[in-house]
Amino acid sequence: MATTELEESYDSEILGEFSLPESKAFVELAMLIIHIDREVTDIERDEFDAQLASLPFTDPQKERILGPHIARTEKVLEQTLGDPDAVETFIENATDRLQGRSHRKHALELLVALAYADQPQFEESHTYQQIGEAFGFDEDEREEIWETFANT
């Protein structure tokens, strides 16, 4: 993905509109994408950190609110990964908290950026498809978002 396009994604007013429940849900989905292949690279961590920095919180709020949430989510993912039914339930629980088509589309775009931070693996692509479907995007819409970022 081109840096300018990625920067535009972070600077988007949409990410700044995420409520606390939406931000937490986005964090969970982002963590799922980078953990699903059971190998979190430094590049993925950097991308994740850049996305977190764009959420609508001050630094102390991020530390106080999102820090513990990230730790809890890591523990949940340790128990969830490897069980397709548990992953599906995890996705449903998170996607239900992201409201509005524009917020959901923006979340999908950022998840593709995470998948493409390093070479996307099958598991990341498959999980992206599951998340997009849970958000209510049809196959063509999901593919268009994926390909837009894949070709930059």
Side-chain angles (χ1 to χ4, degrees):
M1 177 184 314
T3 302
T4 55
E5 193 169 333
L6 189 58
E7 289 169 350
E8 288 172 14
S9 291
Y10 296 153
D11 292 340
S12 168
E13 292 180 15
I14 296 171
L15 194 58
E17 295 171 358
F18 279 22
S19 66
L20 178 59
E22 288 177 312
S23 295
K24 286 182 170 182
F26 172 72
V27 165
E28 292 165 20
L29 294 171
M31 290 180 69
L32 176 62
I33 286 289
I34 64 175
H35 284 87
I36 195 69
D37 63 357
R38 298 181 186 263
E39 182 182 340
V40 180
T41 65
D42 289 341
I43 296 169
E44 287 173 322
R45 278 191 192 91
D46 291 345
E47 179 72 22
F48 178 69
D49 289 344
Q51 291 182 8
L52 286 183
S54 298
L55 290 171
F57 303 104
T58 63
D59 287 338
Q61 288 175 315
K62 284 179 189 171
E63 187 68 33
R64 189 179 74 248
I65 296 169
L66 293 181
H69 186 68
I70 289 168
R72 281 190 301 275
T73 301
E74 283 180 341
K75 289 181 181 175
V76 169
L77 285 174
E78 286 174 10
Q79 298 170 352
T80 301
L81 297 177
D83 180 348
D85 292 333
V87 170
E88 186 174 331
T89 299
F90 183 91
I91 289 170
E92 288 171 4
N93 289 335
T95 56
D96 284 348
R97 289 179 280 137
L98 262 160
Q99 302 300 309
R101 189 165 178 83
S102 65
H103 286 199
R104 289 175 170 202
K105 182 178 181 190
H106 194 62
L108 277 179
E109 291 168 346
L110 293 173
L111 295 176
V112 174
L114 278 171
Y116 273 90
D118 59 359
Q119 290 295 65
Q121 302 299 313
F122 168 80
E123 296 91 341
E124 293 165 331
S125 173
H126 178 74
T127 302
Y128 161 83
Q129 292 294 334
Q130 288 179 288
I131 292 167
E133 185 175 357
F135 277 153
F137 290 93
D138 67 31
E139 186 176 348
D140 290 339
E141 292 170 311
R142 295 188 312 264
E143 194 61 32
E144 180 181 333
I145 293 167
W146 183 269
E147 290 302 316
T148 297
F149 283 80
N151 293 324
T152 58

